[in-house]
Amino acid sequence: MEGVKARPLVAMSLVFFCCCMNVILLEKMVKESPDCTVLVTLSGYVFIIFQGIVWHPEYLTRNKIPVQNYLIIAALFFSTNLCNNMALSFDVDMPTMVIIRSGSLVANMIVSIIAFRRHYPPSKFISVVTVTIGVLMSTIATARIKAQDETSPDITRWLIGMLMLLYGLFGSATTGVFQEKLFATFGKHPGEALFYSNLLGLVGFLPKYQSIADSMFEFSNSPTSILGVPSLWVYCLLNIAMQNVCLHSVYFLLSEWTSLAVTLVTTIRKFLSLVLSVVLFGNVFTLQHWMAAFLVFLGTAIYSELLKIPGVQ
């Protein structure tokens, strides 16, 4: 019985360790190979497809949802994943990425209002305003640093990266809406949906073949690790493994704990990722950035009802 009770605690520990390591390894790869994000994204796709074929070969022969219904989701899934990762190649630092992507709950709410005409209590709109102010503060603070730093790359490139992040934020929420409608029609089949979102999305990498080939060459010629394998390939494989364990641990916690408790865990994890990125990689993070991060996490807490505003529903 004690072992059963300990399993959620083990899963929570894995969320903290593996999810944070996933972020650290990704930033490490981008620092050493700035244009590797397309290859890293493709590697994750290949792993999910391989896993699906090995463990669930029925996805290819007896799929529950007609394949053509996955086309829009696959296109959205591909573009959002690629934009989220490629933003790092456009001079967007990891702390900024963590802050903006922490607004995912708010993005989901906005898209749900537009797509489903859903109504939300005042506290949710307060959280939207709080997160929006935090994101704007962080963006303005970073823009000022870029403008004042003569050694920094062109600020236009950074702005493109920021637009990629914002597209990724709302694109991910839109993907969720399409998936919700699909499941309402055909039933819930998340494993199959994930498999086909990756399989159908492979075609999107074809225009990027040269970038992928260049990154593979750069990875293969990186310094050799203690395992006798080029270090960047080791980081890439570990990144995929950590991401996989992280996702499975979160899904396990959702089956054991309330969504409120899991939201608290993932919010703390994001904050730890932010702190580790600042400490380990020396990213510039001013007082204004910390205030912005506080507002984003506060807004997330209000939205998730981790914090309640007196007199406001």
Side-chain angles (χ1 to χ4, degrees):
M1 198 70 178
E2 290 181 3
V4 173
K5 291 181 179 180
R7 288 174 66 190
L9 296 177
V10 172
M12 182 182 70
S13 300
L14 289 173
V15 168
F16 286 134
F17 178 75
C18 294
C19 296
C20 287
M21 282 299 297
N22 171 248
V23 172
I24 290 169
L25 288 165
L26 177 59
E27 187 164 7
K28 178 70 173 173
M29 284 187 285
V30 172
K31 292 286 186 183
E32 296 190 19
S33 178
D35 297 321
C36 73
T37 48
V38 179
L39 175 60
V40 173
T41 307
L42 174 61
S43 300
Y45 267 60
V46 171
F47 178 80
I48 294 295
I49 294 167
F50 175 77
Q51 193 178 45
I53 291 173
V54 171
W55 296 107
H56 299 282
E58 69 275 9
Y59 288 163
L60 294 171
T61 55
R62 298 191 302 275
N63 46 300
K64 305 293 184 181
I65 300 175
V67 175
Q68 62 269 24
N69 289 281
Y70 286 121
L71 291 175
I72 294 177
I73 291 177
L76 283 168
F77 187 76
F78 169 78
S79 60
T80 54
N81 273 283
L82 193 62
C83 282
N84 278 330
N85 284 341
M86 282 189 67
L88 292 171
S89 298
F90 280 77
D91 203 32
V92 174
D93 56 47
M94 186 61 75
T96 300
M97 173 180 276
V98 171
I99 290 174
I100 291 180
R101 292 183 67 179
S102 294
S104 57
L105 289 174
V106 170
N108 286 336
M109 176 183 139
I110 293 171
V111 172
S112 293
I113 290 173
I114 296 171
F116 295 117
R117 300 291 189 271
R118 287 176 177 163
H119 299 283
Y120 291 87
S123 62
K124 305 296 185 186
F125 289 96
I126 292 174
S127 73
V128 168
V129 173
T130 306
V131 169
T132 301
I133 293 173
V135 169
L136 288 174
M137 280 182 65
S138 175
T139 303
I140 293 169
T142 305
R144 285 175 178 168
I145 293 171
K146 299 290 181 186
Q148 294 171 1
D149 186 2
E150 295 181 356
T151 63
S152 180
D154 185 3
I155 194 170
T156 304
R157 182 177 174 82
W158 173 78
L159 287 172
I160 292 172
M162 293 297 291
L163 288 174
M164 285 181 171
L165 272 185
L166 289 174
Y167 171 78
L169 188 67
F170 285 94
S172 179
T174 306
T175 304
V177 167
F178 274 98
Q179 190 164 291
E180 190 173 339
K181 289 183 176 181
L182 196 66
F183 289 168
T185 304
F186 296 98
K188 294 183 178 181
H189 306 286
E192 181 183 293
L194 180 62
F195 175 77
Y196 276 103
S197 295
N198 283 269
L199 182 64
L200 297 175
L202 279 180
V203 67
F205 290 99
L206 291 176
K208 290 286 187 180
Y209 75 92
Q210 189 59 56
S211 172
I212 294 168
D214 291 343
S215 294
M216 290 179 70
F217 178 80
E218 195 168 353
F219 273 40
S220 298
N221 286 277
S222 61
T224 304
S225 67
I226 57 173
L227 299 175
V229 179
S231 57
L232 283 174
W233 281 120
V234 175
Y235 297 153
C236 186
L237 293 172
L238 284 174
N239 178 66
I240 294 170
M242 293 295 172
Q243 184 179 43
N244 190 54
V245 175
C246 171
L247 289 173
H248 279 82
S249 298
V250 170
Y251 281 126
F252 176 78
L253 284 181
L254 284 169
S255 69
E256 296 288 324
W257 289 352
T258 64
S259 60
L260 192 63
V262 177
T263 300
L264 176 61
V265 170
T266 55
T267 301
I268 294 172
R269 193 281 302 168
K270 288 175 183 177
F271 181 75
L272 286 175
S273 295
L274 189 154
V275 172
L276 286 170
S277 178
V278 172
V279 172
L280 294 177
F281 296 98
N283 289 305
V284 177
F285 213 68
T286 65
L287 177 61
Q288 190 172 338
H289 283 103
W290 285 114
M291 291 172 64
F294 171 77
L295 287 174
V296 170
F297 288 122
L298 176 64
T300 301
I302 293 172
Y303 184 92
S304 307
E305 298 181 0
L306 293 170
L307 291 177
K308 293 190 177 182
I309 304 173
V312 179
Q313 293 185 344

